[in-house]
Amino acid sequence: MSIFGFRISPSSAMNLDTIDRSRFEELCRIEPDAARCMSCGACSATCPASEFSGMSVRKVLLCLQRGKEEEAFRMMNNCMLCGKCTMVCPRGINTRHLILSICRIYDKEDKR
Amino acid sequence: MIYQGKQKIWSDYQKEIPDDHWFYVRSCIRQNFFPGSERMMMEICRNVLGKDFYETEHHTTCGGIAYHCDTIPQETAMTIVARQFALMTEAGYENYVASCITSFGNYTEILETWHEFPELEAKIREMLWKACRKEFNKPKYLAHSSDLIYKYRNDIAEKARFRLVDKENGEPLRVVEHIGCHYSKMFPSKGVGGAEYPYVLAGMIESWGGNVIDYPERRHCCGYGFRQYHVKANRGYSLSNTHKKFESMEPYKPDMIITNCPGCPYFLDRWQYVIAEMEGKTYGQNGYGIPVLTYEEVAGLVLGYDPWDLGLQLHQVAVEPLLDKIGIEYCAEDKYKGLNRKDIMRPGLPENLKCF
Amino acid sequence: MKEIVVIIGGGIAGLEAATQLLKLGYSPIIIEKNDRLGGHVARWNRLFPDMTPAKDIVDDLIASSKDANIFLNTEISFVNRLKDSYNVMLSNGISINSRFILYTTGFRLFEAQKKEEYGYGVYNQVLTNADLENWFNTDKDKRISGKDIRKIGFVHCVGSRDEKARNSQCSKVCCITAIKQAIEMKEKFPESEVFCFYMDLRLFGKKFEDFYTKAQRDHGIHFIRGRVSEVSENINGQVIVKAEDTLAGKPLKVTLDLLVLMSGMVCNPDSTKAASMLHLPIDSDGFLQSSDNVFHITSSPRKGIYYAGACTGPKTVPETLAEARSAVLDIHSEITAGKK
Amino acid sequence: MREIYLSGYSNFIIPFMIGMIFVLSWCAIGAVRIILQLPADDRKKFFLSLINPRIMLKNIRDWFCDCLFHVKLWKRNKLLGYMHSSIAFGWFMIIVIGHIEVFLYTPERMHQVWYPIFFRYFVAVTENTMKGSFFFFLMDFFLLVILSGIVLAIVKRIRSRFFGMRRTTRASITDLIGLYSLWSIFPLRLLAEGFTADISGGSFLTKSLNTVLHSFLSDQMNMLPTWWAYSIALCIFMCILPFSRYMHIPAEILLIPLRNAGIKVRHARKGIAKLQVYSCPGCGVCIDACPMSAVKANIKDTTVYLNRQIKRYNERRIEEISDKCLLCGKCTAVCPVGVEGDKMRIAQRSLRKYNLAPSYANIDENILISRCNKFVNTSNTNVTSSKNQKVIYFSGCMTALTPAISKATTSLLQKSGISYEIMDKDGGICCGRPMMTAGRIEQAEEMIAKNTAIIKASGADTLLLSCPICYKIFKERYDLEGIEILHHTEFFDRLINEGRLSVNKEDKKYAYHDPCELGRGCGIYDQPRNIVNMAGKLVEGEKNRKESICCGGSLGSLTLSFEKRKALTENALNNLRIASPDTIVTACPLCRSTFNRYSDIPVKDIAEILDEATMKRKR
């Protein structure tokens, strides 16, 4: 194999054909409201942890749906479970339990 | 794929192309990459079809690459182009044909800009006059040289010795057509067949007996992208795009790729070697690559010209399997003999990509 | 003698106007260029938000307006303006004198093949909302029937809010139609995954938001905020859709078995033609221009000429019906005011 | 008194002895296990408490008051109190007097455990003495007391509404067996003693019964079956006891000294937690108390059912029940035996395994410190600053969503001329209580450590809090030596008392709602009421103070969905509306926003009304 000094970079596209959404579906079974997010961003704006780790429930949900789990975990790292997002959610999503459920279902190590 | 649907779109994007009397301008880089191509264009148009094609040694670059790389302002590019038009006017021609896709795109863009902003055209006229005391008329018709081969495709097919079919079973060859981005993506109405499903190369392939294959990444850029390839840090990105195209066309088992742009055939050809060396993957059959040819080369092949006179030995991917499939005779020993049988030396062979 | 009112267009607006005019004791004349009544709604299967069968609505309207004079397969050859009335010449040679003309010329569905990048008419598995409704009605479409449909995509705003397609207006009903059809498809193919590609979700009407919530939670329909940029076909004949997920800020692609394009409402060239005969003003969006867009949406600037329904812009079914009634009331008040 | 049988033995005592040995060994083993399960430091604490006379005295008092007299129940419901204490105390007295009789008349039989129980069978009366009649009377009297209690129990079983209980627990099958065997013990005893009363002697009850029985049953042989039946009933009751709710009788005896020793729930299923589960008598007082019971579907999620499910190891239901709870603490407040429903649930939650664990190590507290160590010096000449107090005000996450509270609070601070700084005006770290209630103790501790560092570095001497949720954890878990932790109600009450805030009473009726975390959580009931009384007329809700009803917005519940909370909030609002107040006043940002969502009466924080009431003066 020759060394050229550059490589084929992996595609940045999210390929929905290859993303494994089984855990997200599991999450939706426990938290049917997870699917009801309309991405308004109120949760992100009010989150005290967003300052530290860029936490945003909206983005977490989206990342999990689009196979960007690592990104979601990174954001969730500073979640304090304070419940401000629950208070401001216009759809009344129980974000606190949602976050706890994510913490239970998903696993950093386990790459399904 | 619904063929009638595409035909309907093609019928919407018909371009008027005069039959004769063209002022021909060459590409800056094609002569280095595929030296046989432009020569073959002249050969076919002048000698085979007997058309009037004029070219002058005084023409320069169109400034397209510099313009797209943001190194010169558009006015500069316009003045360069204005000078080319002046050469055409001086020579007494009205139809302007460019060999290069980027030039063609550049000319189209400039003519459209002048059309929208006549004051800019006046300014350029003034600048050209100040710079070299020349005046010009805008070309009446602007074409890319593939437009002309498209126009003459049936004449060529009549005179052809070979067709793009498998000589063993008469099956049409599976041909990938790749259109240069600047051909019609900017101005769909200026290309034959529009931007989504351009017909220019597809028409040639159909006339010459091949079968066009439509793969998902058909519209995707070859990966050249001036700003990508020329900066080494971005070169991987350039390669990735080509890789994406090949991955996408692979299941269709193409026999060959026809292109109409200076950069595309070069990158589609050479990157196959790089991918083979990096990943060990080849896209042709039996460890070969997929031969990438310019439309002039294909025209030359079907007309029966000697492959080595067309410069096919300068391709990275071996063309011999394709020639065998069509049944074009060639002399393997003569591959690396140049003009007057002068030895041009054999290149070293790659590890993973099968070549001769 | 009964006052004659000429109604141009036999869609739901025309039929409802005729019904109301009959009730008020006038003599409506419906001129319809097609061989059937009911317009676009007659081709639809069920209507949001109550999933009312469209056929019921159209049948009711046809039944209630059966006493009107109806000319099918008829177009307007020309209209002359007389002193205080209009002379309408029909293609079948009949000439009508009337003081009132009601335009219920409606809209035309955007021709999806104009968005070449979506490949309607080029790729097998791409169809429009109208095709899908047709399939719901007839169960005949070789693109769907008998196929193993596992992934379905809906592209919102096809030809709407698109300067390139020369329609900058929002077609108003496509979002909710897409959600309705997505739910219906999910019900027909419970194992399938459904993706809706939207730019904005405009769910303004009564119960529309409930539909959205239902689609999200009960049917697990995926909403992706991003406009589909191009569609291609793979070797199995499936379509590959590319879009940017603008919320994630990342490009995205997905292979689908079926792609439904939500063709929007655009102005009907026939209504433009009919309007030009009387030099009625056309709005910048190509639809007929009302006297004003707040108070007199059903009035034209010209005396005796009224509009109802989607000829003045995209409308929902209830809005169209309401406008038809409102226009009839306008006509009625003008007639009774004249008598005094 | 003389003995009839030389052996002092009859076969019918076998069932009783089986039951007795079984239940005693079961309880002994259980008690040892529970004590062994305690963490070592807790165990030590427990043993030390047993030799502490003050605690021991308290234990004895509690044993009598709680186990025998059911004082708490009496306070709550007289009829229910009587029912329970009649049976418990009556039985206790019968056992005690039985032993006294044995001790007096047949001291050599003291070692035969069954003897006092079946005393009347083994002895015959020889002479009528005053002393003897007295004991006979006492025995019959207490038997009557018990029987009256049992009659009430039967009535309660049929019509619980009669006792003012809207809802009661649904008994399990073992409970029913225990119940029926318990009910049958004393009538059977009466019957048995009735049969033998002519030989063994008796008093008004047994003697009269004996006469009645003899009138149609001449044969004394009937007496043996009844003694058998009595013994069997005792056996059934004692054998079913460990598996029924009657386990609470022995469990409570151990729970009282453990509680008095100050031992807290530290493990969800072991030690005192296990003991609390078994101490639950299943009386169902918590059902009516629970704010969630406003919706019928939630009844099965009350503490009594949690205890039952824990006994059954039904993990799915345990999780459901413990996650749903609002943690308002009302069940704990009303529980007659002292089961801590809220703490138990947090403990259950802490058992949960999470794959992802947040960490706050990346948060640089220095940035946060630099935001909050510049104290605003308010120069209010109207008030003389007595001491150079530096107040750090932690408004908390929830107050960030109710800026009216923090605005009023800072305004009051300025009015009273206090030098203050807002700790989290540009965002900060959560107090950790919400994380704690979710059972993620480790994460909460991490937040606590960060906040402690920030507060200590700020240089403040007082930490002022608007939010009772924060207040509770700051009080309980933070180690802020030298810094006084105050809720704003305490702080403002003090300022008023010190004369630093002068309040103009307004002609308004304020209903004060006790926030769960502030009232039951931290025991602060009076200071807010003082403030409200200063600012206007205080009226109370139907249920108030310890009995106050949770607003329904609590962060404690993990699973209760938004739409299902509405009914709870409306129920709590109805409770406050009873005195038709002009304004509902609370002292918690979460209660305030929850009530505001559904209330037709304005809802304000105590700081707001105080700010308004002090504003007038300046004009």
Side-chain angles (χ1 to χ4, degrees):
Chain A
M1 298 281 156
S2 314
I3 290 155
F4 293 89
F6 53 89
R7 300 161 48 92
I8 300 172
S9 29
S11 171
S12 63
M14 302 182 293
N15 189 343
L16 294 185
D17 298 338
T18 54
I19 290 168
D20 172 27
R21 265 194 306 271
S22 59
R23 271 184 295 189
F24 188 75
E25 278 155 18
E26 197 182 331
L27 182 68
C28 282
R29 272 194 295 279
I30 301 174
E31 305 280 345
D33 279 351
R36 292 178 66 221
C37 172
M38 58 175 179
S39 296
C40 70
C43 48
S44 330
T46 196
C47 181
S50 72
E51 183 189 351
F52 308 116
S53 67
M55 173 63 176
S56 152
V57 182
R58 165 184 91 73
K59 279 194 204 158
V60 165
L61 276 176
L62 196 66
C63 285
L64 296 180
Q65 285 182 72
R66 306 281 192 266
K68 303 269 170 193
E69 298 178 357
E70 291 298 316
E71 220 168 291
F73 301 157
R74 214 169 28 250
M75 284 189 271
M76 283 170 61
N77 185 47
N78 279 168
C79 170
M80 307 175 192
L81 217 59
C82 70
K84 275 176 91 177
C85 44
T86 314
M87 297 288 290
V88 298
C89 178
R91 278 276 171 98
I93 299 172
N94 186 351
T95 50
R96 288 179 78 231
H97 197 251
L98 177 71
I99 290 165
L100 287 173
S101 298
I102 295 170
C103 288
R104 280 173 91 173
I105 295 169
Y106 286 85
D107 197 337
K108 262 184 198 156
E109 315 305 324
D110 167 35
K111 293 253 184 324
R112 257 190 252 176
Chain B
M1 180 69 73
I2 306 162
Y3 189 69
Q4 290 78 1
K6 278 213 286 192
Q7 275 183 320
K8 184 172 178 309
I9 294 173
W10 290 337
S11 65
D12 289 348
Y13 292 102
Q14 280 304 321
K15 178 175 171 179
E16 200 183 342
I17 307 166
D19 195 46
D20 206 353
H21 307 298
W22 289 93
F23 182 82
Y24 183 69
V25 283
R26 295 198 180 218
S27 151
C28 303
I29 56 177
R30 284 188 90 201
Q31 298 171 77
N32 305 317
F33 291 171
F34 305 101
S37 294
E38 288 180 335
R39 198 187 73 81
M40 191 48 56
M41 176 79 193
M42 289 298 96
E43 170 72 23
I44 293 169
C45 294
R46 285 176 176 161
N47 301 340
V48 178
L49 303 170
K51 309 288 179 188
D52 170 25
F53 273 67
Y54 179 86
E55 45 171 349
T56 166
E57 70 274 29
H58 294 298
H59 89 71
T60 64
T61 175
C62 70
I65 295 185
Y67 168 54
H68 286 293
C69 287
D70 275 352
T71 50
I72 59 167
Q74 198 184 15
E75 281 86 349
T76 310
M78 282 177 173
T79 315
I80 297 170
V81 167
R83 185 180 163 275
Q84 313 277 62
F85 291 158
L87 292 176
M88 175 193 77
T89 313
E90 283 165 13
Y93 284 84
E94 291 182 317
N95 306 332
Y96 192 98
V97 56
S99 163
C100 171
I101 286 284
T102 294
S103 298
F104 175 72
N106 196 30
Y107 295 135
T108 314
E109 186 179 345
I110 288 172
L111 288 174
E112 287 294 305
T113 312
W114 286 348
H115 178 71
E116 297 288 331
F117 303 97
E119 69 281 3
L120 192 58
E121 184 188 335
K123 184 181 163 194
I124 299 300
R125 282 183 187 279
E126 195 188 325
M127 281 161 78
L128 183 68
W129 179 252
K130 281 182 187 161
C132 48
R133 302 283 170 219
K134 280 185 193 290
E135 285 184 71
F136 68 93
N137 296 330
K138 286 191 280 182
K140 207 166 169 187
Y141 292 100
L142 176 70
H144 179 251
S145 55
S146 61
D147 291 344
L148 296 185
I149 297 291
Y150 165 76
K151 177 146 182 97
Y152 305 144
R153 68 193 189 282
N154 294 329
D155 300 339
I156 292 170
E158 270 171 34
K159 295 183 191 326
R161 277 188 58 206
F162 302 102
R163 287 174 63 73
L164 300 178
V165 294
D166 190 336
K167 72 163 191 239
E168 296 295 330
N169 50 20
E171 291 278 314
L173 295 186
R174 293 178 296 278
V175 187
V176 159
E177 46 92 61
H178 177 83
I179 309 285
C181 293
H182 293 164
Y183 175 66
S184 60
K185 281 181 186 165
M186 295 187 285
F187 298 96
S189 61
K190 304 295 175 195
V192 176
E196 296 296 329
Y197 312 95
Y199 190 53
V200 56
L201 294 179
M204 293 178 205
I205 296 163
E206 285 174 359
S207 301
W208 299 340
N211 226 358
V212 181
I213 58 176
D214 219 316
Y215 60 106
E217 297 292 357
R218 194 180 51 76
R219 296 179 185 83
H220 205 77
C221 170
C222 67
Y224 181 10
F226 300 126
R227 297 180 209 200
Q228 307 306 336
Y229 176 74
H230 290 309
V231 181
K232 193 174 173 187
N234 295 346
R235 210 164 283 170
Y237 178 68
S238 174
L239 174 64
S240 308
N241 282 291
T242 315
H243 178 249
K244 187 174 182 178
K245 271 188 92 74
F246 279 110
E247 288 291 320
S248 173
M249 71 173 80
E250 187 190 11
Y252 297 83
K253 299 193 175 66
D255 292 310
M256 65 192 292
I257 301 171
I258 302 185
T259 61
N260 72 344
C261 176
C264 311
Y266 188 75
F267 282 90
L268 292 173
D269 187 42
R270 301 306 199 269
W271 281 145
Q272 285 194 62
Y273 150 72
V274 175
I275 293 169
E277 292 304 295
M278 273 186 184
E279 310 253 293
K281 182 155 187 187
T282 53
Y283 293 95
Q285 304 301 308
N286 308 321
Y288 292 100
I290 306 169
V292 188
L293 283 76
T294 66
Y295 55 96
E296 295 108 323
E297 286 170 347
V298 180
L301 280 181
V302 298
L303 285 170
Y305 285 87
D306 183 70
W308 310 139
D309 285 348
L310 293 168
L312 298 190
Q313 62 273 59
L314 293 181
H315 288 224
Q316 176 68 58
V317 175
V319 293
E320 284 89 340
L322 173 70
L323 301 179
D324 293 341
K325 202 166 192 179
I326 305 175
I328 297 171
E329 59 274 25
Y330 60 93
C331 176
E333 288 81 54
D334 289 350
K335 184 167 181 182
Y336 295 105
K337 297 266 168 47
L339 271 177
N340 312 321
R341 309 244 139 215
K342 201 178 111 192
D343 190 15
I344 57 169
M345 295 199 290
R346 298 181 79 82
L349 292 181
E351 255 180 65
N352 297 322
L353 185 68
K354 224 163 159 189
C355 292
F356 295 104
Chain C
M1 199 190 92
K2 280 182 185 172
E3 186 82 41
I4 290 170
V5 178
V6 176
I7 298 171
I8 309 176
I12 53 162
L15 294 175
E16 173 65 17
T19 306
Q20 301 299 338
L21 285 167
L22 285 169
K23 277 188 196 165
L24 291 168
Y26 302 115
S27 165
I29 300 173
I30 298 177
I31 300 157
E32 170 58 52
K33 72 172 189 305
N34 287 320
D35 55 359
R36 53 166 192 81
L37 293 169
H40 291 280
V41 177
R43 290 199 196 91
W44 239 241
N45 179 27
R46 286 191 289 174
L47 304 174
F48 54 81
D50 299 337
M51 291 302 201
T52 325
K55 193 173 180 298
D56 293 0
I57 304 241
V58 173
D59 288 351
D60 285 355
L61 285 171
I62 291 175
S64 58
S65 59
K66 65 176 191 302
D67 293 337
N69 275 312
I70 298 171
F71 295 106
L72 294 175
N73 295 315
T74 307
E75 286 186 55
I76 293 169
S77 302
F78 56 84
V79 184
N80 282 330
R81 206 176 157 205
L82 306 176
K83 190 167 161 279
D84 58 353
S85 68
Y86 300 93
N87 174 249
V88 183
M89 190 67 189
L90 303 183
S91 58
N92 57 8
I94 293 170
S95 151
I96 307 164
N97 261 345
S98 164
R99 290 201 293 150
F100 299 98
I101 303 178
L102 177 59
Y103 279 74
T104 55
T105 43
F107 65 95
R108 174 177 283 191
L109 268 181
F110 177 76
E111 292 163 42
Q113 54 269 32
K114 281 190 183 163
K115 293 296 291 177
E116 288 161 20
E117 63 265 42
Y118 295 160
Y120 179 67
V122 176
Y123 302 134
N124 285 313
Q125 292 308 94
V126 180
L127 62 164
T128 63
N129 42 5
D131 295 342
L132 194 61
E133 290 292 339
N134 183 51
W135 179 70
F136 289 148
N137 275 331
T138 61
D139 209 20
K140 282 188 198 117
D141 192 318
K142 62 182 191 320
R143 292 170 289 197
I144 317 170
S145 298
K147 288 229 171 164
D148 182 21
I149 307 281
R150 291 180 176 278
K151 280 177 169 178
I152 307 165
F154 285 84
V155 184
H156 294 220
C157 300
V158 174
S160 309
R161 302 178 72 198
D162 186 349
E163 304 270 351
K164 295 282 173 61
R166 297 202 198 143
N167 294 301
S168 54
Q169 80 280 0
C170 164
S171 290
K172 224 173 176 181
V173 295
C174 319
C175 284
I176 180 67
T177 306
I179 291 174
K180 180 197 80 118
Q181 294 186 343
I183 292 175
E184 286 175 301
M185 285 307 269
K186 187 84 187 181
E187 281 166 353
K188 295 206 188 259
F189 301 97
E191 295 304 310
S192 64
E193 279 195 281
V194 181
F195 303 88
C196 284
F197 294 89
Y198 67 94
M199 300 202 289
D200 285 306
L201 281 173
R202 299 187 161 183
L203 301 164
F204 54 90
K206 190 175 168 71
K207 295 274 183 194
F208 289 12
E209 190 72 8
D210 294 356
F211 248 68
Y212 176 27
T213 313
K214 203 171 117 188
Q216 282 179 298
R217 188 169 64 182
D218 303 344
H219 298 279
I221 290 161
H222 305 283
F223 287 85
I224 297 170
R225 189 184 182 283
R227 192 172 172 82
V228 170
S229 61
E230 68 173 64
V231 178
S232 39
E233 195 175 41
N234 73 6
I235 196 161
N236 302 323
Q238 293 163 304
V239 285
I240 299 175
V241 166
K242 287 192 199 171
E244 191 210 350
D245 188 326
T246 57
L247 297 173
K250 301 234 165 44
L252 171 149
K253 70 170 189 173
V254 61
T255 308
L256 303 170
D257 297 311
L258 204 63
L259 186 69
V260 185
L261 306 179
M262 304 311 296
S263 280
M265 292 189 191
V266 297
C267 63
N268 186 349
D270 295 327
S271 80
T272 319
K273 203 177 108 198
S276 66
M277 291 173 191
L278 284 169
H279 304 290
L280 293 167
I282 307 295
D283 225 337
S284 58
D285 56 8
F287 288 92
L288 302 183
Q289 190 175 14
S290 304
S291 307
D292 72 69
N293 291 320
V294 179
F295 212 63
H296 300 105
I297 198 98
T298 55
S299 310
S300 82
R302 222 172 267 282
K303 193 174 179 321
I305 309 286
Y306 289 92
Y307 304 141
C311 61
T312 54
K315 303 270 157 65
T316 62
V317 170
E319 282 170 348
T320 303
L321 295 176
E323 276 188 13
R325 288 166 206 146
S326 147
V328 167
L329 198 60
D330 280 348
I331 293 170
H332 176 65
S333 342
E334 204 176 317
I335 294 168
T336 45
K339 276 182 186 157
K340 270 175 200 165
Chain D
M1 274 300 172
R2 72 175 165 82
E3 287 181 72
I4 326 177
Y5 306 100
L6 207 59
S7 61
Y9 169 82
S10 175
N11 279 337
F12 69 75
I13 66 146
I14 293 172
F16 164 76
M17 283 312 287
I18 291 172
M20 194 70 192
I21 290 164
F22 173 74
V23 77
L24 282 181
S25 42
W26 182 283
C27 290
I29 293 167
V32 171
R33 276 188 62 189
I34 280 166
I35 291 165
L36 285 178
Q37 279 171 354
L38 290 176
D41 50 337
D42 274 357
R43 199 160 50 237
K44 196 176 156 203
K45 210 162 145 190
F46 172 59
F47 289 137
L48 283 176
S49 82
L50 292 180
I51 52 167
N52 181 330
R54 203 174 49 83
I55 296 178
M56 211 47 217
L57 217 64
K58 193 167 187 290
N59 287 345
I60 292 164
R61 199 196 67 198
D62 284 356
W63 275 323
F64 270 89
C65 291
D66 291 355
C67 302
L68 296 181
F69 298 128
H70 292 90
V71 172
K72 280 184 195 157
L73 263 181
W74 272 99
K75 280 184 191 161
R76 214 178 159 69
N77 185 328
K78 299 251 170 350
L79 216 51
L80 216 54
Y82 175 75
M83 182 191 108
H84 282 84
S85 55
S86 65
I87 299 175
F89 183 66
W91 199 0
F92 174 76
M93 283 316 287
I94 280 184
I95 295 166
V96 169
I97 298 165
H99 278 80
I100 293 172
E101 283 181 325
V102 175
F103 178 72
L104 285 176
Y105 301 115
T106 55
E108 68 280 7
R109 298 288 183 193
M110 274 303 278
H111 65 277
Q112 287 172 331
V113 188
W114 64 86
Y115 215 78
I117 312 298
F118 305 104
F119 185 65
R120 291 281 188 280
Y121 178 80
F122 294 111
V123 295
V125 68
T126 48
E127 53 184 343
N128 275 328
T129 60
M130 197 56 193
K131 192 171 77 181
S133 316
F134 177 63
F135 282 117
F136 284 141
F137 171 74
L138 277 185
M139 286 300 259
D140 271 19
F141 172 72
F142 284 112
L143 193 58
L144 184 67
V145 167
I146 296 172
L147 287 171
S148 69
I150 282 172
V151 170
L152 283 178
I154 293 168
V155 173
K156 175 180 172 257
R157 188 82 215 142
I158 299 161
R159 279 195 75 93
S160 63
R161 276 190 177 277
F162 189 65
F163 284 74
M165 288 180 78
R166 288 195 297 137
R167 298 190 179 97
T168 184
T169 37
R170 277 194 57 186
S172 64
I173 186 81
T174 49
D175 286 351
L176 284 177
I177 297 171
L179 182 74
Y180 294 138
S181 58
L182 180 66
W183 284 355
S184 59
I185 288 171
F186 299 99
L188 284 172
R189 184 184 168 119
L190 177 67
L191 209 59
E193 288 189 346
F195 275 117
T196 48
D198 53 341
I199 306 167
S200 61
S203 190
F204 61 95
L205 209 56
T206 39
K207 259 281 196 317
S208 344
L209 186 65
N210 184 270
T211 324
V212 175
L213 289 174
H214 272 272
S215 63
F216 62 93
L217 292 170
S218 58
D219 196 345
Q220 277 204 348
M221 287 318 284
N222 285 319
M223 79 182 187
L224 203 59
T226 52
W227 284 102
W228 266 100
Y230 172 51
S231 174
I232 288 168
L234 278 168
C235 172
I236 292 172
F237 178 69
M238 285 188 287
C239 287
I240 206 77
L241 182 132
F243 315 105
S244 71
R245 62 188 196 189
Y246 299 101
M247 187 61 198
H248 81 89
I249 301 165
E252 202 185 345
I253 297 171
L254 182 60
L255 180 66
I256 286 168
L258 276 174
R259 188 174 56 221
N260 288 340
I263 286 157
K264 300 239 157 62
V265 175
R266 279 160 80 174
H267 190 282
R269 304 284 165 81
K270 289 182 182 166
I272 193 158
K274 197 183 187 91
L275 196 57
Q276 287 196 2
V277 168
Y278 283 100
S279 297
C280 172
C283 62
V285 169
C286 49
I287 298 180
D288 276 347
C290 183
M292 291 203 303
S293 302
V295 177
K296 213 175 163 206
N298 294 335
I299 288 177
K300 288 255 170 177
D301 298 310
T302 46
T303 306
V304 54
Y305 288 100
L306 173 69
N307 291 332
R308 185 182 287 185
Q309 299 301 349
I310 291 178
K311 280 190 218 167
R312 291 180 185 169
Y313 301 100
N314 183 345
E315 294 297 334
R316 189 187 59 83
R317 283 289 294 141
I318 295 172
E319 182 176 328
E320 266 175 34
I321 296 173
S322 49
D323 281 4
K324 203 173 192 179
C325 173
L326 296 158
L327 301 183
C328 73
K330 195 166 170 189
C331 53
T332 309
V334 301
C335 182
V337 296
V339 175
E340 295 166 301
D342 51 341
K343 296 206 174 74
M344 286 289 288
R345 283 181 172 90
I346 295 178
Q348 305 310 317
R349 290 175 188 183
S350 72
L351 287 184
R352 226 136 289 160
K353 293 275 176 291
Y354 293 101
N355 296 321
L356 302 177
S359 157
Y360 311 96
N362 61 318
I363 299 177
D364 181 7
E365 58 260 42
N366 289 319
I367 296 172
L368 295 170
I369 292 166
S370 67
R371 284 186 198 164
C372 65
N373 55 8
K374 302 171 278 288
F375 286 84
V376 181
N377 273 314
T378 49
S379 51
N380 192 337
T381 46
N382 293 343
V383 281
T384 46
S385 187
S386 52
K387 48 190 171 180
N388 195 12
Q389 200 179 15
K390 273 187 176 174
V391 173
I392 188 157
Y393 173 42
F394 183 76
S395 58
C397 303
M398 290 299 137
T399 316
L401 298 173
T402 48
I405 300 177
S406 48
K407 200 175 152 224
T409 308
T410 49
S411 152
L412 285 163
L413 285 168
Q414 280 165 5
K415 278 179 202 165
S416 40
I418 285 163
S419 167
Y420 72 95
E421 175 61 277
I422 303 173
M423 183 170 151
D424 55 350
K425 60 177 177 287
D426 300 317
I429 298 169
C430 172
C431 63
R433 173 80 180 150
M435 191 59 104
M436 186 75 86
T437 57
R440 308 198 73 175
I441 317 285
E442 228 172 278
Q443 276 72 35
E445 298 284 1
E446 225 182 299
M447 281 189 256
I448 290 171
K450 287 271 172 192
N451 274 328
T452 308
I454 296 166
I455 295 165
K456 283 196 168 161
S458 73
D461 49 30
T462 307
L463 173 66
L464 178 64
L465 302 157
S466 284
C467 176
I469 305 168
C470 308
Y471 179 62
K472 185 172 164 76
I473 196 164
F474 271 107
K475 273 274 194 194
E476 286 180 356
R477 295 273 186 157
Y478 278 68
D479 180 20
L480 292 171
E481 217 188 326
I483 300 172
E484 198 180 10
I485 301 163
L486 291 171
H487 186 250
H488 68 353
T489 52
E490 294 177 278
F491 187 68
F492 294 139
D493 182 46
R494 187 186 295 175
L495 288 182
I496 294 168
N497 289 341
E498 285 173 2
R500 295 174 71 177
L501 277 174
S502 51
V503 190
N504 282 19
K505 203 176 177 89
E506 287 188 46
D507 185 26
K508 267 189 173 174
K509 275 205 284 186
Y510 295 119
Y512 176 67
H513 165 75
D514 284 288
C516 309
E517 301 273 70
L518 190 66
R520 283 183 294 267
C522 300
I524 296 196
Y525 297 111
D526 294 327
Q527 293 92 326
R529 284 183 168 74
N530 293 345
I531 299 176
V532 173
N533 257 332
M534 293 296 285
K537 185 175 181 304
L538 169 76
V539 292
E540 295 284 1
E542 187 186 9
K543 300 267 168 74
N544 54 61
R545 290 182 181 251
K546 204 180 86 172
E547 302 268 325
S548 145
I549 302 172
C550 172
C551 67
S554 168
L555 285 177
S557 173
L558 297 177
T559 51
L560 210 55
S561 66
F562 176 72
E563 61 268 30
K564 290 195 175 138
R565 289 173 186 251
K566 189 183 176 193
L568 315 189
T569 307
E570 280 174 347
N571 181 45
L573 274 172
N574 289 338
N575 175 57
L576 292 166
R577 273 200 210 103
I578 215 108
S580 45
D582 300 313
T583 304
I584 291 171
V585 180
T586 181
C588 169
L590 190 50
C591 298
R592 186 189 184 276
S593 36
T594 310
F595 280 143
N596 241 341
R597 201 171 291 137
Y598 303 114
S599 173
D600 46 357
I601 308 171
V603 180
K604 283 182 179 168
D605 189 84
I606 214 156
E608 291 173 71
I609 62 157
L610 186 62
D611 191 36
E612 282 164 24
T614 48
M615 219 163 326
K616 297 260 165 64
R617 188 177 58 93
K618 297 188 97 182
R619 276 198 211 132

